[in-house]
Amino acid sequence: MANREISTGRKRNGHPQDWCVDESWVAWQLFKALGEFRQEREAGEAIWDPCAGSGRTLSTFVENGFTAFAGDIVDRRDPEQLDWSGVRFHLADFLDLKAAPAPCSIVFNPPYSYIEGIAERFVRHALTLSARRVCAVMPIKWQGSLGRYQLFVEDFPPQAILVSTQRPSMPPGDLIPALTAIGKAFKGGVVDYAWYIWDVQQPTPRDQTRVIWLPRLSRPDLLGPIEGLA
């Protein structure tokens, strides 16, 4: 079976709703880089993933004692990925929601391409609902577009872009059983990703976005709280 990364740009290779499953270390690297979300913990704020899928992104936060909220347009919760017993799940289209379920930061892996401009619409909507931060994992090619100039430069410059120097594999969720059977479910990532971070409480001035490269998984000793972000 051919490699079918969701964000290669070949829609025939993807899920019709851009449901791709990230590896658990993707959120874990973000968690460590942002000082284990100390700001949210000290403020008693929750973590909300409105594109939760099977639950991999939220698992890091639930395992570390955070109050968590989840949602998606389709219920794809997987008990093998996350203990859902303490997570309130809301079946809904994120773009239809008018308020967050609680004071929170939004951490998500939004859809990229199944509708033109869907990723930017999700990010812009998240920025109106989050109390503190918005963290979105996106293909790096997403930033290299004239279409994002208004978002990144004029309207909402990111506080930071955390580049993953190790390519994660994000296969379409519906193909994981078949890919697992042949040993290729999470092998051979072909797309470069980054975490895009927005500070909602203290908007970042134009041209002040920081670009930071995260270390490879083989060097966990280099991964720790990033000054100014943690």
Side-chain angles (χ1 to χ4, degrees):
M1 182 176 294
N3 189 305
R4 292 182 64 177
E5 293 287 327
I6 190 72
S7 52
T8 59
R10 298 187 296 274
K11 292 183 184 298
R12 67 181 182 276
N13 284 349
H15 184 273
Q17 294 171 326
D18 287 353
W19 174 34
C20 59
V21 179
D22 47 322
E23 298 187 74
S24 57
W25 60 262
V26 175
W28 176 81
Q29 279 200 323
L30 173 74
F31 185 71
K32 301 301 288 187
L34 269 58
E36 301 188 356
F37 282 63
R38 176 181 55 83
Q39 296 178 26
E40 288 81 353
R41 191 186 296 278
E42 291 181 352
E45 295 167 352
I47 303 298
W48 180 25
D49 182 356
C51 306
S54 62
R56 280 186 181 242
T57 297
L58 271 183
S59 63
T60 290
F61 299 94
V62 172
E63 291 167 3
N64 283 277
F66 278 85
T67 298
F69 295 88
D72 214 323
I73 197 169
V74 176
D75 188 348
R76 301 184 176 104
R77 287 175 288 177
D78 184 348
E80 294 186 2
Q81 301 299 330
L82 177 64
D83 177 3
W84 292 92
S85 59
V87 180
R88 188 197 304 173
F89 180 84
H90 188 196
L91 187 65
D93 184 332
F94 177 57
L95 296 177
D96 291 336
L97 300 180
K98 305 301 183 185
C104 66
S105 283
I106 295 176
V107 180
F108 66 159
N109 182 356
Y112 304 131
S113 61
Y114 83 101
I115 297 174
E116 183 69 26
I118 190 70
E120 183 171 340
R121 289 173 62 195
F122 267 65
V123 167
R124 285 181 176 274
H125 192 54
L127 288 165
T128 71
L129 300 181
S130 172
R132 186 171 297 274
R133 289 191 267 213
V134 171
C135 306
V137 62
M138 298 280 196
I140 289 177
K141 67 179 182 180
W142 186 67
Q143 75 191 49
S145 166
L146 288 175
R148 242 67 68 201
Y149 182 88
Q150 189 70 32
L151 173 66
F152 285 140
V153 179
E154 300 288 349
D155 297 339
F156 301 107
Q159 180 188 29
I161 299 172
L162 307 183
V163 179
S164 177
T165 54
Q166 185 157 337
R167 286 177 174 172
S169 179
M170 295 196 189
D174 59 332
L175 294 182
I176 288 178
L179 292 170
T180 299
I182 59 174
K184 293 185 178 181
F186 292 99
K187 292 185 178 180
V190 297
V191 177
D192 294 305
Y193 286 87
W195 280 103
Y196 296 83
I197 316 297
W198 286 268
D199 186 333
V200 176
Q201 295 188 343
Q202 297 182 1
T204 301
R206 177 173 176 159
D207 299 329
Q208 295 300 307
T209 298
R210 297 171 63 188
V211 180
I212 299 166
W213 281 262
L214 297 173
R216 294 181 63 82
L217 295 176
S218 59
R219 293 299 309 272
D221 55 305
L222 298 179
L223 182 63
I226 297 173
E227 185 176 357
L229 300 183

